[in-house]
Amino acid sequence: AVWDFQHGIAVGDIVYAKKGMHKIIGRGKVTSAASYDPARHSYRNVRSVDWDYIGLWDNPEQASIKILTDITSDIGHVEQLEAIVTGETDIDETDALAALPKYGQADFLDDVFITETRYARLRALLKRKKNVILAGPPGVGKTFAAKRLAYSIMGEMDQSRVRMVQFHQSYSYEDFLMGFRPNASGGFDLHEGPFYRFCKEALNDDQDRPYFFIIDEINRGNISKIFGELLMLIEADKRGQELRLLYKNETFTVPPNLHIIGMMNTADRSLAVLDYALRRRFGFFEMTPGFESEGFQNMQDRLVNSRFDALVTTLTHLNAAIAEDPGLGAGFAVGHSYLSPPSNFLKDQTAPEEVDGWLHSVVEDELVPLLEEYWFDEPSNAADWAEKLRNALV
């Protein structure tokens, strides 16, 4: 919370002060940068706020128990708060939309290390199927690529039209779409899940504006349990059709402008194969290490470090050995994200010893333990490749 208070808030941001999880007591605009006041008895990190509304209002949604929460992307909640506190029913988004950074194919290829041909194929697949799964080994940047793919199709970095959740073994229909949750009085309230709310946002917007729902670790959840009757509605040719919901006496539809991007890790042995019902409704795109892509090579040229170059070559040979191993395969390859340097390394004239220290840490603290796990039953093989990786940095 302190970090967000210091770095996540900017002058001009709108903040709401809450009392507990159910009351709003003020609305104001931030007018100063963060500072530290040691003279205060508590809450020494401070900012100045011009409080234009002070009072007591019911919060239309239960607030997070966190001290500080960013609700920028929850447009529906923000609109409700503005209407209740200020009396204004619409938010003027003209300035905000004009300020959104542009993002296109060239930006995607510069950020995500795949070829232009593969990007065109991925984009076409998502537009045709509406649903796509990015599958690949750890470290190929699946989550990073999913968000950038959404931005590149939108043509701008509009975070309000991107929503992300992560599946796990306990995730359910009630978490995903809607379900009953206990309240403070001992009863139960019907709570809408993130997919329900996001579908409503997409449906109420211009249908030519695409929306993207991203699901991390999609194969960790019980798909039939989580999606329920939605398995039919997410099909590309069933978009716009309506079904009556289990918990609410209303019909529901998945709008045509909503796209679903899932990610799955092919190197996780603990996961079962995907539900065939899900497999039929999604297109699959294999994410592979991008050491040979133009984007990665451009980054490599900017870094200008012979040890980095040698390590890239060694990892390329290592991935070939992993792909040929009958107990592993290409799904266990080492991704290029392991060798994506901190951004300041490319912006500044970083000292060579600092780059070397980072490379040694990557090898000893990330790659060697990974190989020891891969070849736990062949320790000599793991040791041989660990030695080759270390030799690349000599």
Side-chain angles (χ1 to χ4, degrees), residues 333-380:
V334 177
H336 54 263
S337 294
Y338 285 99
L339 290 188
S340 293
S343 58
N344 63 297
F345 281 18
L346 302 176
K347 294 177 182 177
D348 308 324
Q349 293 295 323
T350 306
E353 58 270 18
E354 189 175 350
V355 177
D356 292 344
W358 165 67
L359 290 175
H360 277 93
S361 178
V362 169
V363 169
E364 296 295 340
D365 304 327
E366 298 181 64
L367 297 180
V368 170
L370 181 67
L371 297 183
E372 290 173 346
E373 181 180 340
Y374 279 2
W375 283 307
F376 69 95
D377 54 348
E378 298 181 61
S380 60

Side-chain angles (χ1 to χ4, degrees), residues 313-323 333-334 367 371 375 385 389:
T313 300
T314 304
L315 281 179
T316 302
H317 295 152
L318 171 62
N319 282 340
I322 290 174
V334 177
L367 297 180
L371 297 183
W375 283 307
W385 276 106
L389 293 173

Side-chain angles (χ1 to χ4, degrees), residues 60-61 80 173-181 189-198 200 245 248 250:
E61 294 188 17
Q80 288 179 309
Y173 178 94
E174 289 75 14
D175 299 312
F176 188 61
L177 193 71
M178 66 171 56
F180 287 99
R181 292 285 182 270
D189 294 327
L190 184 61
H191 282 266
E192 299 165 350
F195 190 73
Y196 177 90
R197 295 195 300 267
F198 199 61
K200 292 296 184 182
L245 294 175
K248 203 170 186 179
E250 71 171 43

Side-chain angles (χ1 to χ4, degrees), residues 4 16 27 37 86 89 116 118 126 134 180 186 220 255 277 322 325 346 390:
D4 289 340
Y16 286 91
R27 186 254 198 207
D37 185 358
T86 71
T89 57
E116 184 175 348
R118 282 173 56 77
L126 181 58
L134 305 180
F180 287 99
R220 283 190 176 275
I322 290 174
D325 190 309
L346 302 176
R390 292 176 178 127

